[in-house]
Amino acid sequence: MSDPAILSFDGPIARLVINRPDARNALSIEILDALHDRLAELEADPRGAHVLVLTGAGKAFCAGMDLKAVLIELSGDPSLGKRLLTSLAELTLRLRALAMVTIASVNGAAIGGGCGLTCVCDLSVTHADAKLGFPEVDLGLCPAVIAPWVLRKLGPGVGRRALLMGGVMSGEDAKAIGLADFLAPDRAGLDSLTNEVAQRLASGGPKALAATKALLNRLDGSEDRDAVLRGAELSASVLATPEAQAALKARMTR
Amino acid sequence: MIRFEILDNLAAVTLSRADKRNALTPDMLESLTGVFERMPGDIRAVVVSGDGPAFCAGFDLKMCAADQSGETMRQLLTGLSRAVRAMRAIDQPVVLAAHGAAVAGGCALLGGADIVVAERQTRLGYPVAKIGVSPAVSAPFLSSTIADGPARARLLDPDLICAEDARSIGLVHELADGPGATRERANDIARHLAAKPGIGVAATKALCNHLSRHRTDFAMEALTVSLSLAGSEEERERLAALWS
């Protein structure tokens, strides 16, 4: 089986691809482990890339948590949900702490935790036909791991509304509320727009970019590890309730 | 002057003093707080709106001007702070429909709501420094809703802004045409929220509250700042001048 997360380099621009297109790049333990490994490589990389583009292979960017793994009846492992959520929490902290500037290139569906990853990136580029959103509440879940990142990205009021309303929105609506920073007219235009943004950022001095990003992380509370790690515990406790498990089961068998 | 109605699993809380543009009295704010503090557990979402031509024109300033001691103003400020905190504190999401005017104390009520729909013609803002009143009481909730830059501008600049501008800074989430459509859209959103599994919505609202606690923890300090000016000479002169 091919690598679930692929890292490549093009001069100062690194590219990390979530690579489980047949599962819409949903976050399983396998994918999360691979993403952790690739970020570890980036942290230690001597090539000194100063921009990272995160994207998904195939039609989706990332469909969110692997629902098969969090439905206890199916996984047979009540602890798996918490392990997944904790790994996602650690991944968001790690991605945010990277010295390089990060860009989410949202090629298709970015749902729940997947949409959360776009909020952890410094900037996001999407296209009009992409679908983004936080449908956790529709399944009786609480998006606690990603909530701190969503509120930072959208501002507390708009973020509150997005998390409570659930559902998904178009790339255009995402651009309108600040969930996406750049909008391509369609999927075909996404790669060139992403490349344009990445090249523009890469033209900055790497030290200046890293210092600015580190300052922004300090200013906006991104270094508060507890908020995200406690979010994993809260999210896991809601996930384990009969109400949430019933809503998940109904979704899986729909 | 506060109407409370239940329809299925939704609650409607309505400011009902239409002939005074729903100007807030200490009694109204006490009822408003009580309604939220006693919200039945089986309610899944709450809609707040106002009767008559405007959502809420703010405090009843005639009452304030008639009370030279500043006690009425103190009751209003304390009551407003409590009401907004009570709206925030309930498990259920609060959807607010604003039309006509959401001014001063009326605009402050938006800070207690999770989702705000405004009629396109609504004017919003905090023009209270003009009458010697500090809008500090609203600051913790405004700055836990919108970015710091626009919050600062809104609290210091006495001008009112239009609903479109309020949406662009995130004070309002959606616009609608006419008061009827605004209330209907708020009801639609409340029904949409009420149809979701309750546990996820309640946990998510509580989490959003928790994540903005570094702002709302200032609620009592902010109230103290506003209270410190109640009954001051500047305030008494400026209030009296409104009717001279």
Side-chain angles (χ1 to χ4, degrees):
Chain A
M1 222 170 165
S2 57
D3 202 321
I6 299 169
L7 182 62
S8 61
F9 293 87
D10 178 11
I13 300 171
R15 185 178 162 85
L16 179 55
V17 181
I18 312 173
N19 187 34
R20 274 293 173 265
D22 51 354
R24 301 173 76 225
N25 301 320
L27 298 169
S28 59
I29 282 288
E30 181 208 19
I31 287 200
L32 285 164
D33 284 350
L35 287 169
H36 272 287
D37 290 348
R38 297 298 91 75
L39 290 190
E41 287 167 30
L42 267 177
E43 287 159 0
D45 191 77
R47 276 169 285 196
H50 48 283
V51 172
L52 170 70
V53 173
L54 176 67
T55 192
K59 287 195 168 155
F61 174 79
C62 172
M65 299 307 279
D66 180 4
L67 292 186
K68 287 193 295 293
V70 295
L71 183 61
I72 296 167
E73 192 181 296
L74 215 60
S75 73
D77 181 357
S79 71
L80 189 55
K82 184 166 178 195
R83 263 175 34 231
L84 273 167
L85 289 159
T86 305
S87 178
L88 175 63
E90 294 280 6
L91 186 76
T92 63
L93 290 161
R94 198 162 193 170
L95 179 59
R96 187 71 154 199
L98 280 180
M100 63 201 72
V101 178
T102 54
I103 304 170
S105 183
V106 183
N107 52 304
I111 309 296
C115 199
L117 286 178
T118 75
C119 293
V120 178
C121 290
D122 296 305
L123 294 161
S124 80
V125 188
T126 190
H127 62 89
D129 305 321
K131 289 276 179 273
L132 300 90
F134 307 99
E136 282 90 338
V137 286
D138 302 323
L139 297 170
L141 304 179
C142 176
V145 170
I146 58 170
W149 307 112
V150 176
L151 298 192
R152 278 180 200 117
K153 176 80 179 174
L154 302 184
V158 176
R160 179 182 287 259
R161 178 205 184 211
L163 295 180
L164 286 173
M165 287 293 281
V168 293
M169 68 190 96
S170 67
E172 257 168 24
D173 288 344
K175 172 71 167 61
I177 66 165
L179 180 57
D181 300 291
F182 302 93
L183 182 70
D186 50 31
R187 174 66 187 87
L190 180 74
D191 295 344
S192 62
L193 181 58
T194 301
N195 195 43
E196 186 188 318
V197 173
Q199 295 286 353
R200 196 156 75 227
L201 288 164
S203 70
K207 286 201 173 65
L209 286 173
T212 306
K213 173 167 175 171
L215 173 72
L216 292 173
N217 279 356
R218 283 204 301 280
L219 283 176
D220 73 4
S222 291
E223 293 177 340
D224 181 1
R225 295 179 54 82
D226 274 3
V228 180
L229 294 173
R230 276 203 310 270
E233 285 176 30
L234 171 62
S235 210
S237 67
V238 173
L239 174 65
T241 60
E243 187 181 5
Q245 288 291 317
L248 277 170
K249 189 176 172 189
R251 170 63 60 96
M252 298 286 295
T253 53
R254 199 171 66 179
Chain B
M1 287 181 283
I2 298 293
R3 208 168 59 244
F4 180 66
E5 294 151 303
I6 290 178
L7 181 65
D8 301 325
N9 54 7
L10 301 182
V13 178
T14 311
L15 309 182
S16 184
R17 198 186 178 210
D19 55 329
K20 302 283 186 193
R21 292 163 60 82
N22 297 320
L24 299 165
T25 65
D27 285 350
M28 279 169 81
L29 286 168
E30 197 176 316
S31 319
L32 192 59
T33 302
V35 158
F36 279 94
E37 285 179 349
R38 291 189 294 274
M39 191 62 67
D42 54 353
I43 292 296
R44 301 294 287 272
V46 183
V47 174
V48 178
S49 65
D51 282 341
F55 169 67
C56 179
F59 292 167
D60 184 330
L61 295 179
K62 272 203 172 140
M63 277 181 87
C64 295
D67 178 3
Q68 294 277 312
S69 74
E71 182 53 27
T72 302
M73 180 63 82
R74 279 189 284 275
Q75 287 176 8
L76 282 163
L77 290 165
T78 307
L80 176 65
S81 177
R82 281 187 63 203
V84 172
R85 280 181 276 138
M87 289 167 75
R88 274 278 171 121
I90 62 166
D91 287 342
Q92 299 88 342
V94 177
V95 186
L96 187 146
H99 69 288
V103 172
C107 196
L109 293 177
L110 272 58
D114 298 295
I115 293 164
V116 178
V117 186
E119 181 237 335
R120 238 168 253 282
Q121 305 303 320
T122 314
R123 309 280 289 165
L124 305 98
Y126 301 88
V128 299
K130 284 199 289 197
I131 51 165
V133 173
S134 164
V137 63
S138 304
F141 300 95
L142 186 63
S143 73
S144 72
T145 304
I146 69 174
D148 288 341
R152 193 172 280 254
R154 295 284 46 87
L155 292 170
L156 296 174
D157 178 353
D159 267 8
L160 299 180
I161 58 172
C162 65
E164 187 72 53
D165 287 348
R167 183 173 63 166
S168 76
I169 61 172
L171 183 57
V172 161
H173 297 111
E174 289 188 29
L175 302 181
D177 293 305
T182 304
R183 202 170 284 112
E184 201 33 57
R185 178 61 191 144
N187 287 334
D188 282 348
I189 292 172
R191 279 191 286 269
H192 172 79
L193 291 167
K196 297 179 191 301
I199 183 167
V201 173
T204 303
K205 174 172 176 174
L207 176 70
C208 288
N209 286 348
H210 177 74
L211 289 172
S212 55
R213 71 195 180 285
H214 58 293
R215 301 301 171 92
T216 51
D217 280 354
F218 277 102
M220 297 315 291
E221 196 176 325
L223 172 61
T224 307
V225 171
S226 288
L227 287 176
S228 71
L229 296 173
S232 69
E233 193 182 334
E234 175 180 289
E235 184 192 282
R236 273 186 284 127
E237 282 175 11
R238 286 170 180 250
L239 275 174
L242 288 176
W243 287 280
S244 65

